[in-house]
Amino acid sequence: MRVRRKRHVHLISATAILTSALMLAPTVAEAQPHGSPASLSGSHRGHGGRLSPRTHFRMNPDGSSGRYVSGAAIPNIDSVKSTIETYYGDTGDGKADRESSPYITQMRSIVDRQLRTLKQRYRHAARHHQKPALVFDTDDTTLSTYDMEAGTMHFHFDPKINNQFTQEGRFEATPGMVRLVNSAARMGYRIFGITGRNSSQKAATLENLRRVGYHAFSADRFYTKWTGKGDSTKPGYIHCAAQDCTTVEYKAQTREHIERHGYRIVETWGDQWSDLKGRHAGHTVKLPNPMYFLSSPNLPGVHQPWLSPRRNFQMEPDGSSGKRPDGEGIPNLDSVKSTIRQHYGAHDGIASKHSSPYIREMRSIVRRQLPRLVRDCRRGQRNGDNPAVVLDADDTTLWTYDMEDGAMHFHFDPKVQDTEWVQKERFPATPGMVHLVDRVRTAGCTIIGLTGRNDDQKDATISNLRKVGYRGFTAANYYTKWTGDGDSQQPGYIHCATQKCTTIEYKSQTRKHIESPAGGGFSIVANIGDQFSDLKGGHARRFIKLPNPTYYLP
């Protein structure tokens, strides 16, 4: 099911913790036939089942978890984005709050604590006649990239846009860091910068740092990566195992180079673990950054297990977990993307159509659910109950992954969805679902579609379903949302609490209508969807939740 999404999602109901992190079964809830008295406000439990997203996750930073966990065990990418936005105080315009946010609270706490520590460490270095120094990364250590990452790139990195922001010096200071760096310089520390930005960006970066208030960075103590063009070549003090140096090789050996000039690096600061690995610093300070993850192996023979990302997370689906001042406690967005891609066997934004953990999970769900569905359809047919199965469209019968990742890079665009995918009927079938629909249809169940797509998309959707092999979907039994234009108006059997209906109101009341004589008098033996909002509100004997970590619609 897919409709236009807002940047911030708000959960309609309370959440419930789903157990078993490796559970491969779908959520299945039993309900009384012909409309149980479930509230349209969305009770978080169906009759004996669980109708709320999982809130506890275990995820490896490299995405490898996607190879063996269920789709429900992967942090939903929309929920992660919403959590990040809450954490940065982004109210929906792609800009971080400059005055107050959980991120600012956490940064101030880190800075205050480290300033007290820096005074003690400076006195210790001075007593031992050392030249104390501090090393700082740039992006999201001294300069904040949130507005670029969220507002301009929509969390899909574009090096051209990044370079434009860099050359124009458009980054604001990371909260609290101007105070820390300038205070440390006044204490007597030498301030060094080591950044992954390249030499062609050095002058603009130094000017950006000066503009936002830093006074201690100088060109001779600011190290950038080489471009390989002209005079910008790898320095002699860098020795790498392969032609392309890793971040750890570059940064650790540059710190070693600074030490050879007589400095004692008291602390090195960075927002990435790769900024800190490789030794050559007395202490490391990791700053929070759930937006992106730059992986890099440690140096050969160097073992620093404490410099590793968190793997266990607790996250509510509505983004409210971002209210905690704990950026490390938010699933890193890049790691989530990698986990999803490995789960779908995706390369270059295109899911494998032959073999993947997702395909195996879907086949397992179909294999387990079909016998019960076929039995219920046959029994209903024999008893004259007019049995039916209700199915959502997107990621229930039609598979949207290639659009979500390959075309949209996980940033939903309704125009692309409509003109390039829906109207052109480009969606493949969701794995295993053509077989499921065919079996329940031949067992005696009427096939009914209930989707968040609108009336203008109805014909193309039904045609797409037929193209990929579905039989049994008809215009008379395929329900789409109204557009409000012309004859496409809210039907009389839909009554909503506010002017704009929620998904649960629309879908549950449509199922109630389907059960009524006016809607055909069907007995809905199963309601199948990829979103919990497809399933809440009653009016089906059982609910089957299909996995979908690629978006969340409350």
Side-chain angles (χ1 to χ4, degrees):
M1 189 276 289
R2 195 56 182 271
V3 294
R4 183 175 180 271
R5 279 190 260 130
K6 297 181 181 179
R7 287 184 60 83
H8 287 272
V9 294
H10 300 281
L11 188 64
I12 295 172
S13 66
T15 57
I17 297 172
L18 300 185
T19 59
S20 178
L22 301 181
M23 181 181 69
L24 291 178
T27 297
V28 180
E30 299 292 340
Q32 298 173 2
H34 288 276
S36 66
S39 169
L40 291 184
S41 64
S43 172
H44 71 275
R45 289 188 183 273
H47 291 268
R50 296 165 298 202
L51 288 179
S52 292
R54 189 172 301 194
T55 57
H56 285 73
F57 306 91
R58 180 172 175 81
M59 180 183 70
N60 295 333
D62 61 356
S64 59
S65 306
R67 301 173 193 165
Y68 56 82
V69 300
S70 69
I74 299 172
N76 187 284
I77 195 167
D78 272 0
S79 295
V80 173
K81 287 181 181 180
S82 183
T83 304
I84 291 172
E85 290 164 0
T86 301
Y87 176 66
Y88 282 91
D90 179 353
T91 58
D93 60 359
K95 295 184 182 298
D97 192 314
R98 301 291 176 215
E99 303 297 327
S100 176
S101 70
Y103 173 61
I104 291 174
T105 298
Q106 184 175 11
M107 285 298 304
R108 285 175 176 167
S109 176
I110 293 171
V111 167
D112 289 345
R113 182 175 62 250
Q114 292 306 126
L115 276 174
R116 292 191 294 270
T117 302
L118 283 174
K119 291 177 182 178
Q120 299 169 0
R121 290 173 177 167
Y122 183 82
R123 288 195 293 267
H124 180 270
R127 283 198 302 270
H128 290 80
H129 307 289
Q130 296 172 335
K131 294 194 297 183
L134 301 177
V135 171
F136 296 91
D137 171 55
T138 300
D139 291 311
D140 295 292
T141 300
T142 52
L143 297 175
S144 173
T145 73
Y146 181 87
D147 293 357
M148 176 190 74
E149 292 283 345
T152 304
M153 295 183 182
H154 308 295
F155 297 116
H156 174 65
F157 186 72
D158 184 326
K160 291 183 179 179
I161 293 175
N162 173 265
N163 187 60
Q164 181 180 354
F165 266 73
T166 299
Q167 299 298 349
E168 294 175 1
R170 294 171 61 181
F171 299 104
E172 297 300 323
T174 304
M177 291 302 289
V178 169
R179 176 165 63 97
L180 182 134
V181 171
N182 290 347
S183 296
R186 287 194 295 270
M187 291 178 199
Y189 282 99
R190 281 289 192 178
I191 305 301
F192 289 85
I194 304 179
T195 176
R197 297 185 180 191
N198 65 50
S199 58
S200 69
Q201 300 170 320
K202 180 174 181 175
T205 301
L206 285 166
E207 178 57 33
N208 195 160
L209 289 164
R210 283 190 288 270
R211 179 184 67 79
V212 298
Y214 293 99
H215 304 310
F217 289 107
S218 62
D220 61 324
R221 297 193 301 274
F222 198 82
Y223 294 86
T224 53
K225 289 200 77 174
W226 51 96
T227 64
K229 299 177 182 179
D231 295 334
S232 181
T233 58
K234 182 174 70 175
Y237 55 82
I238 299 289
H239 306 281
C240 304
Q243 184 174 359
D244 292 329
C245 292
T246 68
T247 298
V248 175
E249 287 175 322
Y250 156 58
K251 293 204 168 188
Q253 292 183 56
T254 302
R255 291 196 299 271
E256 183 181 20
H257 171 72
I258 293 169
E259 289 178 331
R260 287 173 179 166
H261 282 73
Y263 291 99
R264 162 73 169 134
I265 299 176
V266 175
E267 292 179 354
T268 184
W269 290 59
D271 67 295
Q272 300 293 311
W273 298 104
S274 53
D275 296 333
L276 311 177
K277 292 178 179 178
R279 297 178 179 156
H280 300 292
H283 303 274
T284 58
V285 182
K286 171 68 170 63
L287 300 183
N289 181 0
M291 296 183 291
Y292 55 87
F293 174 64
L294 305 177
S295 178
S296 181
N298 213 328
L299 297 180
V302 177
H303 187 57
Q304 298 171 302
W306 59 91
L307 296 180
S308 298
R310 192 177 301 185
R311 285 171 166 78
N312 292 293
F313 305 93
Q314 181 177 354
M315 181 185 71
E316 300 295 333
D318 62 351
S320 60
S321 300
K323 295 177 182 178
R324 297 191 298 259
D326 179 18
E328 296 297 330
I330 300 172
N332 188 280
L333 188 55
D334 271 359
S335 296
V336 171
K337 289 179 182 178
S338 180
T339 303
I340 291 173
R341 286 166 178 153
Q342 293 194 48
H343 186 67
Y344 284 85
H347 298 280
D348 298 321
I350 305 301
S352 172
K353 305 303 185 293
H354 304 290
S355 177
S356 69
Y358 173 71
I359 291 174
R360 290 192 292 274
E361 181 177 8
M362 283 299 304
R363 287 174 178 170
S364 175
I365 290 170
V366 169
R367 186 169 58 250
R368 284 196 307 274
Q369 297 302 320
L370 254 181
R372 172 75 179 273
L373 290 172
V374 168
R375 184 171 65 250
D376 289 349
C377 289
R378 288 174 177 168
R379 180 185 298 119
Q381 183 71 7
R382 287 196 305 269
N383 295 339
D385 291 338
N386 201 12
V389 173
V390 173
L391 300 107
D392 172 53
D394 292 313
D395 295 292
T396 299
T397 51
L398 296 175
W399 193 7
T400 73
Y401 184 89
D402 295 353
M403 177 192 73
E404 291 287 344
D405 188 3
M408 296 183 183
H409 311 297
F410 297 117
H411 174 65
F412 184 66
D413 185 329
K415 291 183 179 179
V416 171
Q417 183 213 32
D418 183 45
T419 61
E420 297 299 320
W421 289 81
V422 174
Q423 302 300 342
K424 292 183 180 180
E425 305 169 19
R426 293 177 60 185
F427 298 103
T430 304
M433 291 302 290
V434 170
H435 176 60
L436 181 145
V437 169
D438 186 61
R439 287 289 307 279
V440 299
R441 178 180 62 85
T442 56
C445 273
T446 297
I447 304 302
I448 299 177
L450 176 53
T451 176
R453 295 187 183 189
N454 64 48
D455 289 344
D456 292 342
Q457 300 171 322
K458 180 173 180 174
D459 290 343
T461 300
I462 294 174
S463 179
N464 195 159
L465 289 163
R466 290 171 180 160
K467 180 192 293 186
V468 297
Y470 289 100
R471 300 293 180 266
F473 286 108
T474 64
N477 284 322
Y478 205 86
Y479 291 85
T480 48
K481 288 200 75 173
W482 54 96
T483 64
D485 298 325
D487 295 333
S488 179
Q489 301 296 325
Q490 181 177 322
Y493 55 81
I494 300 288
H495 305 281
C496 304
T498 60
Q499 184 175 1
K500 187 175 182 180
C501 291
T502 67
T503 298
I504 295 172
E505 288 174 322
Y506 157 58
K507 291 207 164 188
S508 63
Q509 292 185 56
T510 300
R511 292 194 300 272
K512 182 179 180 180
H513 169 73
I514 291 167
E515 293 174 331
S516 72
F522 292 100
S523 173
I524 302 174
V525 302
N527 177 30
I528 306 175
D530 67 293
Q531 300 292 313
F532 287 100
S533 54
D534 296 333
L535 311 177
K536 292 180 178 180
H539 301 291
R541 289 183 180 176
R542 60 202 306 258
F543 311 95
I544 301 175
K545 170 68 170 65
L546 302 184
N548 183 3
T550 64
Y551 55 88
Y552 174 66
L553 304 175

